[in-house]
Amino acid sequence: MLKFITALLASCLLLGCATSEEQQEFYYRINEAYDFEVTHCDSFAMARGKGRGEFALKDAKMQAKSYGEEIGGTHIVWLQVDEEEETKVIAVVYKCLL
């Protein structure tokens, strides 16, 4: 067992255990979609997000996606993206039953 843990730690150090921002996006349970992909789904909420700085758009979208997940959405469709001094996004949250 000790050999297994040592091997795991060694591989973690070699490959890098730190989670990148790209990997963090993978863990969202809500899917980005186009409007034609959710025609069979129920739209039930609007989600908004705001961001500033270097990663303003990414932060704004993460806020909206997080809200969509909190309320039980399965898909999100971006309606509007305003990239000004403060980036703002607006999206429709859908619940799709497979």
Side-chain angles (χ1 to χ4, degrees):
M1 184 67 169
L2 183 59
K3 287 182 182 179
F4 175 74
I5 293 172
T6 305
L8 183 63
L9 289 174
S11 65
C12 195
L13 288 173
L14 290 173
L15 298 175
C17 288
T19 307
S20 71
E21 291 179 25
E22 294 168 359
Q23 287 175 326
Q24 289 177 353
E25 277 189 44
F26 179 76
Y27 293 108
Y28 280 107
R29 290 182 303 260
I30 195 164
N31 299 301
E32 291 186 33
Y34 294 104
D35 55 351
F36 67 86
E37 296 176 300
V38 291
T39 56
H40 64 285
C41 306
D42 294 326
S43 64
F44 68 96
M46 299 289 287
R48 299 172 189 269
K50 295 180 184 178
R52 287 182 174 267
E54 187 179 351
F55 301 106
L57 181 59
K58 187 171 189 168
D59 292 342
K61 285 187 171 188
M62 283 183 3
Q63 282 180 10
K65 286 171 121 179
S66 293
Y67 175 70
E69 283 183 353
E70 285 176 26
I71 60 174
T74 59
H75 292 76
I76 191 165
V77 175
W78 304 112
L79 291 181
Q80 185 174 352
V81 176
D82 291 329
E83 294 188 73
E84 296 175 6
E85 184 178 323
E86 180 179 59
T87 299
K88 299 175 186 175
V89 296
I90 301 173
V92 179
V93 178
Y94 290 84
K95 187 167 215 163
C96 300
L97 303 174
L98 298 175

